[in-house]
Amino acid sequence: MFIDHVQITIASGHGGHGHISFRREKYVPNGGPDGGDGGKGGDIVFIADTSINTLLDFRYKKKFAAQAGVKGGASKMSGKNGADLVLKVPVGTLVRYGWETENGEKGMVMADLNVAGERRVLAKGGRGGRGNQHFATPSRQAPKFCEDGRAGKEFKVTLELKLIADAGIIGFPNAGKSTLLSRVTAAKPKIANYQFTTLAPNLGVVRLDYDTDFVLADIPGLIEGASQGVGLGFDFLRHIERTRVLIHMVDAARLEAPEEADDYGLSPVEAVEKINAELGHFNPALLERPQILVANKMDLPVNEGHIEELKAYAEQHNLPLFFISGATGQGMQELMRGVANALAEAPPIADFEPDYEAHFEPERREDFITVEKDPEEEGRFIVEGPGIERMLGYTNLADERGFAFFQRFLREKGIIDKLEELGIQENDTVQLYELEFDYWK
């Protein structure tokens, strides 16, 4: 089953907590604290793998979590690091932050895995907490607190597979795209005389000479309104974005056809213009790609007026025009040579540059703390920030010395002064995440 678009949730591992313990041996009366550090949480790693050509592995399982770090132990033993979770995806996979909205809005690009073997860490595991051995000082020789491990990162991502092909064959259904691919490559696409025979892109390698070859993609048939979801919709328009040359195929033998088929009854030029309009709606940059016009089914009776019109259109827009027959093989070699020449002059396709870098930001400053009034409740003040969160993580507030240490921290960091500047009064409430304190001078 060809799956090229999935939405999943990824979560890196939590860091292991530090340990509280003291060395106790018969002949070591003052062993001191020896609590070990917690292990680091596992990362979420994406790797582009050439042995995979679909996102089927992500179709049914929707959440992927790395292993958490192990808590530290006594005797200064560190906990084991959590194992990284490696997710293999096909080459050409684009990772976006968040899930697509109902109106089609996409998240920012996190990674473009378009090189075989490329490895990207998209969610780093939480850091392990420090054991109580790190908090011993000359004045605090028996610290009864340690540091909790940092939480991992969890967020939703969208995976889009955009096939990497040098040239892509586009056109209305039944124009003969799959027949062309089967003629010039070893690919065996399904071929039948009905619309939407091709339900997934097919790839094949064209070999002209010992030093000339390129990858050719057969894109499922497009119709008017495809960029808005009509027919097969825009699901396969994404695969055109990585092609350097577009082979625009039309049915030269289209004389008359059933009225119920919307795309029939069009001249070849009208068919080309409608498909190009859909490309422009999906991504205007596609209209700047080199195009080659191909009139297929020349072994059948054709409308000479349509052929002349197509020639005039190609000359007007300076487009190469080839006449072929998928059934007999007429003109195939000339067409492939023309595609190879166009590829030799076509510029490379630019990568999708990551524009979401929040997950790569360095650790926030530990001393960053915010102090503000609660806008919804009078007499309540909120204190937050990494510094406070970290302090609460390793301070034992139930211990008298630990609580005194925490109060000293509040004064040294200027938090008490800031509260007084904001007008705090006795009996007012100070909220520090899940904890609440009454203020007393």
Side-chain angles (χ1 to χ4, degrees):
M1 184 183 297
F2 182 78
I3 304 296
D4 61 353
H5 183 272
V6 294
Q7 299 183 135
I8 62 173
T9 299
I10 58 175
S12 58
H14 290 244
H17 298 327
H19 186 70
I20 302 174
S21 64
F22 297 89
R23 184 180 178 187
R24 301 181 187 278
E25 296 182 27
K26 184 175 181 179
Y27 299 106
V28 186
N30 299 314
D34 68 348
D37 302 338
K40 175 185 172 297
D43 299 334
I44 297 291
V45 183
F46 283 82
I47 293 183
D49 192 336
T50 54
S51 66
I52 303 173
N53 55 19
T54 176
L55 296 172
L56 181 61
D57 291 343
F58 306 93
R59 173 72 180 274
Y60 302 106
K61 185 177 179 181
K62 292 300 182 181
K63 183 171 182 178
F64 297 83
Q67 193 176 46
V70 178
K71 181 180 179 180
S75 301
K76 299 183 180 180
M77 290 190 297
S78 297
K80 183 180 179 181
N81 292 338
D84 295 341
L85 179 62
V86 178
L87 301 178
K88 295 182 179 180
V89 295
V91 177
T93 299
L94 198 68
V95 184
R96 293 184 181 273
Y97 179 77
W99 290 2
E100 291 185 14
T101 61
E102 293 181 356
N103 59 5
E105 293 183 4
K106 299 180 179 181
M108 294 178 286
V109 175
M110 296 182 72
D112 185 7
L113 300 163
N114 63 353
V115 178
E118 186 174 1
R119 177 187 177 97
R120 295 293 295 273
V121 178
L122 294 189
K124 294 183 178 180
R127 192 178 68 191
R130 292 178 292 174
N132 67 333
Q133 61 170 311
H134 296 282
F135 300 99
T137 66
S139 60
R140 186 178 62 244
Q141 297 183 8
K144 296 180 180 179
F145 55 86
C146 62
E147 189 177 42
D148 287 345
R150 295 291 183 84
K153 297 181 179 180
E154 178 175 335
F155 47 86
K156 299 174 180 178
V157 295
T158 300
L159 306 183
E160 295 182 17
L161 173 57
K162 299 177 184 288
L163 292 180
I164 299 178
D166 297 303
I169 315 170
I170 60 174
F172 275 116
N174 274 21
K177 301 183 294 298
S178 297
T179 301
L180 172 60
L181 184 71
S182 68
R183 276 281 188 173
V184 297
T185 74
K188 303 297 182 184
K190 181 180 180 180
I191 300 173
N193 188 28
Y194 56 85
Q195 289 199 53
F196 305 126
T197 306
T198 303
L199 298 177
N202 294 298
L203 294 177
V205 178
V206 178
R207 300 190 184 279
L208 293 178
D209 303 317
Y210 70 93
D211 61 345
T212 304
D213 56 40
F214 56 87
V215 179
L216 185 63
D218 165 24
I219 307 299
L222 305 174
I223 63 174
E224 186 177 5
S227 58
Q228 282 76 47
V230 178
L232 292 179
F234 46 73
D235 285 343
F236 299 112
L237 281 167
R238 67 172 63 93
H239 298 293
I240 305 175
E241 291 186 293
R242 292 197 193 272
T243 57
R244 298 165 54 211
V245 172
L246 299 179
I247 303 172
H248 204 145
M249 181 174 287
V250 294
D251 184 354
R254 182 173 293 170
L255 301 176
E256 56 186 15
E259 296 179 357
E260 62 270 14
D262 294 336
D263 58 306
Y264 284 89
L266 299 174
S267 70
V269 169
E270 290 173 332
V272 169
E273 291 177 338
K274 287 194 178 295
I275 294 297
N276 281 340
E278 295 306 317
L279 298 182
H281 290 154
F282 179 75
N283 184 351
L286 294 176
L287 297 179
E288 301 176 5
R289 304 279 167 84
Q291 277 198 24
I292 296 176
L293 292 184
V294 179
N296 190 23
K297 305 183 183 180
M298 291 300 293
D299 56 309
L300 302 176
V302 298
N303 186 318
E304 292 298 334
H306 287 171
I307 297 301
E308 294 302 320
E309 183 183 7
L310 193 60
K311 290 180 179 178
Y313 180 87
E315 184 177 355
Q316 177 185 355
H317 293 84
N318 194 28
L319 300 177
L321 174 61
F322 293 86
F323 297 93
I324 69 169
S325 168
T328 66
Q330 169 190 341
M332 293 290 186
Q333 285 298 316
E334 292 80 2
L335 171 60
M336 292 301 102
R337 180 59 63 185
V339 174
N341 293 338
L343 286 171
E345 300 176 1
I349 300 300
D351 297 339
F352 290 83
E353 292 295 333
D355 51 14
Y356 179 84
E357 296 293 342
H359 54 293
F360 292 125
E361 287 181 358
E363 292 291 336
R364 295 175 295 177
R365 292 175 52 198
E366 295 296 338
D367 58 351
F368 179 73
I369 298 172
T370 61
V371 182
E372 56 188 14
K373 286 184 176 180
D374 189 336
E376 299 179 356
E377 184 177 341
E378 187 67 25
R380 176 182 289 272
F381 296 79
I382 300 174
V383 181
E384 293 181 336
I388 288 290
E389 193 173 10
R390 178 170 175 264
M391 178 60 67
L392 291 175
Y394 66 70
T395 302
N396 182 7
L397 299 180
D399 180 75
E400 182 179 349
R401 286 179 295 179
F403 190 74
F405 173 70
F406 183 65
Q407 287 182 309
R408 188 163 60 251
F409 170 83
L410 296 179
R411 290 202 174 275
E412 291 176 353
K413 295 298 181 181
I415 297 172
I416 300 297
D417 293 338
K418 182 64 175 177
L419 287 170
E420 292 177 349
E421 289 177 12
L422 293 175
I424 193 171
Q425 302 295 324
E426 289 192 357
N427 290 324
D428 284 351
T429 300
V430 180
Q431 179 178 335
L432 297 88
Y433 293 96
E434 295 84 7
L435 300 177
E436 293 184 355
F437 300 92
D438 292 334
Y439 177 77
W440 292 90
K441 273 196 172 183

